[in-house]
Short mmCIF file of all heavy atoms in Angstrom, two decimals:
data_model
loop_
_atom_site.label_atom_id
_atom_site.label_comp_id
_atom_site.label_asym_id
_atom_site.label_seq_id
_atom_site.Cartn_x
_atom_site.Cartn_y
_atom_site.Cartn_z
N THR A 48 -33.61 11.65 -20.64
CA THR A 48 -34.60 11.63 -19.56
C THR A 48 -34.20 10.61 -18.48
O THR A 48 -33.68 9.55 -18.81
CB THR A 48 -36.01 11.31 -20.12
OG1 THR A 48 -36.94 11.44 -19.06
CG2 THR A 48 -36.09 9.94 -20.71
N PRO A 49 -34.43 10.94 -17.22
CA PRO A 49 -34.12 9.97 -16.16
C PRO A 49 -35.13 8.82 -16.18
O PRO A 49 -36.27 8.98 -16.62
CB PRO A 49 -34.25 10.79 -14.88
CG PRO A 49 -35.10 11.94 -15.23
CD PRO A 49 -34.93 12.20 -16.69
N SER A 50 -34.69 7.67 -15.72
CA SER A 50 -35.57 6.50 -15.69
C SER A 50 -35.24 5.63 -14.49
O SER A 50 -34.19 5.77 -13.87
CB SER A 50 -35.42 5.69 -16.97
OG SER A 50 -34.13 5.15 -17.05
N LEU A 51 -36.16 4.76 -14.19
CA LEU A 51 -35.98 3.83 -13.09
C LEU A 51 -36.57 2.50 -13.52
O LEU A 51 -37.64 2.45 -14.14
CB LEU A 51 -36.71 4.35 -11.84
CG LEU A 51 -36.36 3.70 -10.52
CD1 LEU A 51 -34.91 3.99 -10.13
CD2 LEU A 51 -37.28 4.21 -9.42
N LYS A 52 -35.87 1.41 -13.23
CA LYS A 52 -36.36 0.09 -13.60
C LYS A 52 -37.75 -0.14 -12.98
O LYS A 52 -38.00 0.27 -11.84
CB LYS A 52 -35.40 -0.98 -13.11
CG LYS A 52 -34.06 -0.95 -13.79
CD LYS A 52 -33.14 -2.01 -13.24
CE LYS A 52 -31.79 -1.92 -13.95
NZ LYS A 52 -30.84 -2.89 -13.42
N PRO A 53 -38.65 -0.77 -13.73
CA PRO A 53 -40.01 -1.00 -13.21
C PRO A 53 -40.03 -1.72 -11.86
O PRO A 53 -40.85 -1.40 -11.00
CB PRO A 53 -40.68 -1.85 -14.29
CG PRO A 53 -39.91 -1.55 -15.54
CD PRO A 53 -38.50 -1.27 -15.10
N GLU A 54 -39.12 -2.66 -11.66
CA GLU A 54 -39.10 -3.38 -10.38
C GLU A 54 -38.68 -2.47 -9.22
O GLU A 54 -39.11 -2.66 -8.08
CB GLU A 54 -38.23 -4.64 -10.43
CG GLU A 54 -36.80 -4.40 -10.80
CD GLU A 54 -36.49 -4.55 -12.28
OE1 GLU A 54 -37.39 -4.40 -13.12
OE2 GLU A 54 -35.32 -4.82 -12.59
N TYR A 55 -37.87 -1.44 -9.49
CA TYR A 55 -37.51 -0.46 -8.46
C TYR A 55 -38.73 0.40 -8.12
O TYR A 55 -38.96 0.73 -6.96
CB TYR A 55 -36.37 0.43 -8.92
CG TYR A 55 -35.04 -0.26 -9.13
CD1 TYR A 55 -33.97 0.43 -9.66
CD2 TYR A 55 -34.84 -1.60 -8.82
CE1 TYR A 55 -32.73 -0.17 -9.87
CE2 TYR A 55 -33.62 -2.22 -9.03
CZ TYR A 55 -32.56 -1.50 -9.55
OH TYR A 55 -31.35 -2.10 -9.76
N MET A 56 -39.50 0.77 -9.13
CA MET A 56 -40.71 1.56 -8.91
C MET A 56 -41.70 0.77 -8.05
O MET A 56 -42.32 1.32 -7.15
CB MET A 56 -41.33 1.93 -10.26
CG MET A 56 -42.25 3.09 -10.22
SD MET A 56 -41.42 4.67 -9.97
CE MET A 56 -40.88 5.03 -11.62
N ASP A 57 -41.82 -0.53 -8.34
CA ASP A 57 -42.69 -1.39 -7.53
C ASP A 57 -42.20 -1.46 -6.08
O ASP A 57 -43.00 -1.46 -5.15
CB ASP A 57 -42.77 -2.80 -8.12
CG ASP A 57 -43.53 -2.85 -9.43
OD1 ASP A 57 -44.32 -1.91 -9.70
OD2 ASP A 57 -43.33 -3.82 -10.19
N ALA A 58 -40.88 -1.53 -5.90
CA ALA A 58 -40.31 -1.58 -4.55
C ALA A 58 -40.64 -0.31 -3.78
O ALA A 58 -40.95 -0.36 -2.58
CB ALA A 58 -38.80 -1.79 -4.62
N ILE A 59 -40.60 0.84 -4.46
CA ILE A 59 -40.97 2.11 -3.80
C ILE A 59 -42.42 2.05 -3.36
O ILE A 59 -42.76 2.42 -2.23
CB ILE A 59 -40.71 3.30 -4.74
CG1 ILE A 59 -39.20 3.48 -4.98
CG2 ILE A 59 -41.32 4.58 -4.17
CD1 ILE A 59 -38.86 4.47 -6.07
N ARG A 60 -43.29 1.59 -4.23
CA ARG A 60 -44.72 1.50 -3.91
C ARG A 60 -44.99 0.55 -2.73
O ARG A 60 -45.93 0.74 -1.97
CB ARG A 60 -45.51 1.04 -5.13
CG ARG A 60 -45.68 2.11 -6.16
CD ARG A 60 -46.60 1.68 -7.31
NE ARG A 60 -46.79 2.78 -8.22
CZ ARG A 60 -46.06 2.96 -9.32
NH1 ARG A 60 -45.13 2.10 -9.67
NH2 ARG A 60 -46.30 4.01 -10.10
N LYS A 61 -44.19 -0.49 -2.62
CA LYS A 61 -44.37 -1.48 -1.55
C LYS A 61 -43.65 -1.08 -0.26
O LYS A 61 -43.71 -1.80 0.73
CB LYS A 61 -43.83 -2.84 -2.00
CG LYS A 61 -44.66 -3.46 -3.10
CD LYS A 61 -44.03 -4.76 -3.57
CE LYS A 61 -44.81 -5.37 -4.71
NZ LYS A 61 -44.13 -6.54 -5.27
N GLY A 62 -42.94 0.06 -0.27
CA GLY A 62 -42.20 0.48 0.92
C GLY A 62 -40.91 -0.30 1.09
O GLY A 62 -40.36 -0.36 2.18
N ASN A 63 -40.42 -0.90 0.00
CA ASN A 63 -39.21 -1.72 0.07
C ASN A 63 -38.00 -1.03 -0.54
O ASN A 63 -37.10 -1.68 -1.05
CB ASN A 63 -39.46 -3.07 -0.61
CG ASN A 63 -40.45 -3.91 0.15
OD1 ASN A 63 -40.55 -3.80 1.36
ND2 ASN A 63 -41.20 -4.73 -0.54
N CYS A 64 -37.99 0.28 -0.51
CA CYS A 64 -36.84 1.08 -0.95
C CYS A 64 -36.81 2.32 -0.08
O CYS A 64 -37.82 3.03 0.02
CB CYS A 64 -36.98 1.45 -2.43
SG CYS A 64 -35.69 2.57 -3.02
N GLY A 65 -35.68 2.59 0.54
CA GLY A 65 -35.59 3.75 1.43
C GLY A 65 -34.86 4.93 0.84
O GLY A 65 -35.03 6.06 1.29
N SER A 66 -34.04 4.68 -0.19
CA SER A 66 -33.26 5.78 -0.75
C SER A 66 -32.91 5.53 -2.21
O SER A 66 -32.89 4.39 -2.67
CB SER A 66 -31.99 5.99 0.06
OG SER A 66 -31.20 4.82 0.07
N LEU A 67 -32.65 6.63 -2.91
CA LEU A 67 -32.28 6.57 -4.32
C LEU A 67 -31.05 7.41 -4.56
O LEU A 67 -30.90 8.50 -4.03
CB LEU A 67 -33.41 7.09 -5.20
CG LEU A 67 -34.53 6.11 -5.45
CD1 LEU A 67 -35.73 6.81 -6.03
CD2 LEU A 67 -34.07 5.01 -6.38
N LEU A 68 -30.21 6.88 -5.41
CA LEU A 68 -28.99 7.57 -5.82
C LEU A 68 -29.19 8.09 -7.23
O LEU A 68 -29.75 7.39 -8.08
CB LEU A 68 -27.83 6.57 -5.77
CG LEU A 68 -26.43 7.07 -6.06
CD1 LEU A 68 -25.98 8.09 -5.03
CD2 LEU A 68 -25.46 5.89 -6.08
N ASN A 69 -28.77 9.31 -7.49
CA ASN A 69 -28.77 9.91 -8.83
C ASN A 69 -30.15 10.01 -9.47
O ASN A 69 -30.37 9.54 -10.58
CB ASN A 69 -27.84 9.12 -9.77
CG ASN A 69 -26.41 9.11 -9.27
OD1 ASN A 69 -25.94 10.10 -8.73
ND2 ASN A 69 -25.75 7.99 -9.41
N ALA A 70 -31.07 10.66 -8.81
CA ALA A 70 -32.41 10.84 -9.38
C ALA A 70 -32.42 11.88 -10.50
O ALA A 70 -33.41 12.01 -11.20
CB ALA A 70 -33.42 11.21 -8.31
N HIS A 71 -31.34 12.61 -10.69
CA HIS A 71 -31.06 13.49 -11.84
C HIS A 71 -31.82 14.80 -11.92
O HIS A 71 -31.20 15.82 -12.03
CB HIS A 71 -31.18 12.74 -13.17
CG HIS A 71 -30.23 11.60 -13.31
ND1 HIS A 71 -28.87 11.77 -13.36
CD2 HIS A 71 -30.44 10.27 -13.40
CE1 HIS A 71 -28.28 10.60 -13.48
NE2 HIS A 71 -29.22 9.67 -13.51
N THR A 72 -33.12 14.83 -11.95
CA THR A 72 -33.82 16.10 -12.15
C THR A 72 -34.82 16.35 -11.02
O THR A 72 -35.27 15.42 -10.34
CB THR A 72 -34.59 16.12 -13.49
OG1 THR A 72 -35.66 15.17 -13.42
CG2 THR A 72 -33.69 15.82 -14.67
N VAL A 73 -35.18 17.60 -10.85
CA VAL A 73 -36.15 17.97 -9.82
C VAL A 73 -37.49 17.29 -10.11
O VAL A 73 -38.12 16.74 -9.20
CB VAL A 73 -36.31 19.51 -9.76
CG1 VAL A 73 -37.45 19.89 -8.83
CG2 VAL A 73 -35.01 20.15 -9.31
N ALA A 74 -37.93 17.35 -11.35
CA ALA A 74 -39.23 16.75 -11.70
C ALA A 74 -39.25 15.25 -11.42
O ALA A 74 -40.24 14.72 -10.89
CB ALA A 74 -39.55 17.03 -13.17
N PHE A 75 -38.17 14.56 -11.75
CA PHE A 75 -38.10 13.12 -11.52
C PHE A 75 -38.07 12.82 -10.02
O PHE A 75 -38.76 11.91 -9.55
CB PHE A 75 -36.85 12.56 -12.21
CG PHE A 75 -36.79 11.06 -12.24
CD1 PHE A 75 -37.79 10.30 -12.82
CD2 PHE A 75 -35.69 10.40 -11.71
CE1 PHE A 75 -37.72 8.91 -12.85
CE2 PHE A 75 -35.60 9.02 -11.74
CZ PHE A 75 -36.62 8.27 -12.31
N THR A 76 -37.32 13.61 -9.27
CA THR A 76 -37.25 13.43 -7.82
C THR A 76 -38.63 13.63 -7.20
O THR A 76 -39.07 12.85 -6.36
CB THR A 76 -36.24 14.43 -7.21
OG1 THR A 76 -34.96 14.19 -7.79
CG2 THR A 76 -36.14 14.28 -5.71
N ARG A 77 -39.33 14.67 -7.62
CA ARG A 77 -40.68 14.92 -7.11
C ARG A 77 -41.63 13.77 -7.45
O ARG A 77 -42.46 13.38 -6.63
CB ARG A 77 -41.22 16.24 -7.65
CG ARG A 77 -40.60 17.43 -7.00
CD ARG A 77 -41.20 18.70 -7.51
NE ARG A 77 -40.59 19.84 -6.84
CZ ARG A 77 -40.70 21.07 -7.24
NH1 ARG A 77 -41.39 21.36 -8.33
NH2 ARG A 77 -40.11 22.05 -6.58
N LYS A 78 -41.52 13.27 -8.66
CA LYS A 78 -42.38 12.15 -9.09
C LYS A 78 -42.16 10.94 -8.19
O LYS A 78 -43.12 10.31 -7.71
CB LYS A 78 -42.07 11.79 -10.54
CG LYS A 78 -42.80 10.57 -11.05
CD LYS A 78 -42.34 10.19 -12.45
CE LYS A 78 -42.94 8.86 -12.87
NZ LYS A 78 -42.47 8.44 -14.20
N LEU A 79 -40.90 10.60 -7.94
CA LEU A 79 -40.58 9.44 -7.10
C LEU A 79 -41.02 9.66 -5.65
O LEU A 79 -41.56 8.75 -5.02
CB LEU A 79 -39.09 9.14 -7.17
CG LEU A 79 -38.57 8.73 -8.55
CD1 LEU A 79 -37.05 8.64 -8.54
CD2 LEU A 79 -39.19 7.42 -9.01
N GLN A 80 -40.80 10.87 -5.15
CA GLN A 80 -41.21 11.18 -3.77
C GLN A 80 -42.72 11.11 -3.63
O GLN A 80 -43.24 10.59 -2.63
CB GLN A 80 -40.70 12.57 -3.37
CG GLN A 80 -40.81 12.85 -1.90
CD GLN A 80 -39.88 12.01 -1.06
OE1 GLN A 80 -40.15 10.84 -0.81
NE2 GLN A 80 -38.77 12.60 -0.66
N LYS A 81 -43.45 11.56 -4.63
CA LYS A 81 -44.91 11.50 -4.60
C LYS A 81 -45.39 10.05 -4.55
O LYS A 81 -46.30 9.72 -3.80
CB LYS A 81 -45.48 12.21 -5.83
CG LYS A 81 -46.98 12.29 -5.82
CD LYS A 81 -47.50 13.11 -6.98
CE LYS A 81 -49.02 13.15 -6.89
NZ LYS A 81 -49.61 14.05 -7.84
N ILE A 82 -44.74 9.20 -5.33
CA ILE A 82 -45.09 7.77 -5.31
C ILE A 82 -44.86 7.20 -3.91
O ILE A 82 -45.72 6.51 -3.35
CB ILE A 82 -44.30 6.99 -6.37
CG1 ILE A 82 -44.78 7.38 -7.77
CG2 ILE A 82 -44.42 5.48 -6.15
CD1 ILE A 82 -43.89 6.88 -8.89
N ALA A 83 -43.69 7.49 -3.32
CA ALA A 83 -43.36 6.96 -2.00
C ALA A 83 -44.34 7.44 -0.94
O ALA A 83 -44.82 6.65 -0.11
CB ALA A 83 -41.93 7.35 -1.62
N VAL A 84 -44.66 8.71 -0.95
CA VAL A 84 -45.49 9.29 0.11
C VAL A 84 -46.98 9.02 -0.09
O VAL A 84 -47.71 8.83 0.87
CB VAL A 84 -45.21 10.81 0.22
CG1 VAL A 84 -46.17 11.49 1.18
CG2 VAL A 84 -43.76 11.04 0.67
N GLU A 85 -47.42 8.98 -1.34
CA GLU A 85 -48.85 8.83 -1.58
C GLU A 85 -49.29 7.39 -1.89
O GLU A 85 -50.44 7.05 -1.67
CB GLU A 85 -49.29 9.75 -2.72
CG GLU A 85 -49.17 11.22 -2.36
CD GLU A 85 -49.61 12.15 -3.47
OE1 GLU A 85 -50.12 11.67 -4.51
OE2 GLU A 85 -49.43 13.36 -3.29
N GLU A 86 -48.39 6.56 -2.39
CA GLU A 86 -48.79 5.22 -2.81
C GLU A 86 -48.29 4.09 -1.92
O GLU A 86 -48.77 2.97 -2.03
CB GLU A 86 -48.36 4.97 -4.26
CG GLU A 86 -49.03 5.91 -5.25
CD GLU A 86 -48.62 5.64 -6.68
OE1 GLU A 86 -48.36 4.46 -7.03
OE2 GLU A 86 -48.55 6.60 -7.47
N SER A 87 -47.32 4.36 -1.06
CA SER A 87 -46.84 3.29 -0.18
C SER A 87 -47.73 3.20 1.06
O SER A 87 -48.40 4.16 1.44
CB SER A 87 -45.38 3.53 0.22
OG SER A 87 -45.26 4.66 1.04
N ARG A 88 -47.75 2.06 1.66
CA ARG A 88 -48.66 1.80 2.78
C ARG A 88 -48.44 2.75 3.96
O ARG A 88 -49.39 3.26 4.55
CB ARG A 88 -48.48 0.34 3.24
CG ARG A 88 -49.45 -0.10 4.31
CD ARG A 88 -49.30 -1.57 4.62
NE ARG A 88 -48.12 -1.85 5.40
CZ ARG A 88 -48.09 -1.83 6.74
NH1 ARG A 88 -49.18 -1.54 7.42
NH2 ARG A 88 -46.98 -2.09 7.39
#
Side-chain angles (χ1 to χ4, degrees):
T48 186
S50 65
L51 195 65
K52 294 179 181 178
E54 58 266 24
Y55 295 174
M56 201 71 81
D57 290 340
I59 292 170
R60 285 186 176 95
K61 292 176 183 174
N63 292 331
C64 174
S66 59
L67 281 166
L68 184 64
N69 300 323
H71 299 295
T72 67
V73 173
F75 189 58
T76 300
R77 285 183 179 166
K78 174 185 172 183
L79 296 172
Q80 192 68 282
K81 185 175 180 172
I82 291 169
V84 173
E85 294 180 6
E86 296 182 33
S87 67
R88 185 175 75 88

